Amino acid sequence: MGAKWLNDDGTSAIGSDPAWLELLKWQKDLVDWYGFDKLEKFRASLGDEWSADNAFHKGQVAMMVDGEYRIAFLRDQAKDVKFGTAPLPVSDAHPDWYGGGYVTGNVIGVSKTAKNPEAAWALIRYLTTDTGAIVKLANLIKNVPSTTDALAAPGDLGNDADFKVFLDIFAHPHTSTTPPSAVGPAYEEALSTYLQKYQAGPAGDPSAGLKDVDKQINQLVQLAG
């Protein structure tokens, strides 16, 4: 949908961006069609996402939104499952967005109690800036390499048709991520809390609800300075 999370000043854009309202109404229609209680009962029956009991592994769902790492899990834990990969569908108003997606980076750091922080920092530099090291690690753990130079030479990953979909998503000009904020993931959590109430039943006007989410987030932003 291309919905915007934050304004340039760090305040919430959720209540003012009409794309969020469009998304909420589309999703609520789908939830109501199935029935919220039925969906919750079904969800409670599903196995752990990070185990061999994953719902897709066991054929309990036909489609899912997931990361590139799922390919390795499927081939290791559910060898009989036939699957394919594709980018997320997009709004009919923006067909040029097709092929983009959501990405995150790698998080790595040095403990303040490290006995040899200089050596640890040297290892971090090697793992995060050396193209050969990044490609080698990506091929070993079956993750998309995290720099554009490494993406241009992905090694064996580029020969895997299912995995190449994720490489193309990473390189797509409309691929994005959640913006950094002084309140961390609090803006996502505030929206998620409201969405749960909205999907569960009568939750009033979603436009007013999203503006209330704005207020909650902006109060946190103000407290964070």
Side-chain angles (χ1 to χ4, degrees), residues 32-54:
D32 288 348
W33 186 85
Y34 281 107
F36 181 82
D37 291 342
K38 291 179 180 179
L39 287 173
E40 285 294 283
K41 183 178 179 180
F42 175 68
R43 186 174 64 85
S45 72
L46 303 180
D48 182 76
E49 178 184 1
W50 304 108
S51 74
D53 288 331
N54 180 284

Side-chain angles (χ1 to χ4, degrees), residues 39-170:
L39 287 173
E40 285 294 283
K41 183 178 179 180
F42 175 68
R43 186 174 64 85
S45 72
L46 303 180
D48 182 76
E49 178 184 1
W50 304 108
S51 74
D53 288 331
N54 180 284
F56 190 79
H57 291 203
K58 298 180 72 175
Q60 291 175 283
V61 295
M63 294 183 289
M64 66 176 179
V65 178
D66 214 329
E68 79 278 13
Y69 40 78
R70 183 59 54 189
I71 294 174
F73 291 152
L74 282 164
R75 290 173 179 167
D76 177 57
Q77 299 172 349
K79 294 180 173 63
D80 294 333
V81 174
K82 295 180 180 180
F83 68 91
T85 59
L88 286 168
V90 298
S91 166
D92 290 341
H94 299 281
D96 56 309
W97 290 350
Y98 184 73
Y102 172 78
V103 297
T104 59
N106 293 327
V107 179
I108 187 169
V110 179
S111 169
K112 65 180 181 180
T113 60
K115 293 181 180 179
N116 194 338
E118 291 81 8
W121 175 235
L123 176 61
I124 287 178
R125 286 203 311 271
Y126 172 68
L127 291 175
T128 59
T129 63
D130 183 281
T131 299
I134 294 171
V135 171
K136 183 177 181 180
L137 182 62
N139 278 263
L140 285 171
I141 64 176
K142 309 305 180 186
N143 278 186
V144 171
S146 54
T147 66
T148 50
D149 286 345
L151 192 68
D156 293 338
L157 296 175
N159 299 320
D160 184 326
D162 291 316
F163 200 96
K164 190 176 184 302
V165 170
F166 292 94
L167 296 175
D168 292 342
I169 288 172
F170 191 94

Side-chain angles (χ1 to χ4, degrees), residues 149-203:
D149 286 345
L151 192 68
D156 293 338
L157 296 175
N159 299 320
D160 184 326
D162 291 316
F163 200 96
K164 190 176 184 302
V165 170
F166 292 94
L167 296 175
D168 292 342
I169 288 172
F170 191 94
H172 196 279
H174 286 291
T175 286
S176 62
T177 189
T178 41
S181 169
V183 298
Y187 61 88
E188 295 178 78
E189 293 165 355
L191 178 60
S192 179
T193 299
Y194 171 70
L195 286 179
Q196 187 72 10
K197 294 178 181 177
Y198 177 66
Q199 292 171 4

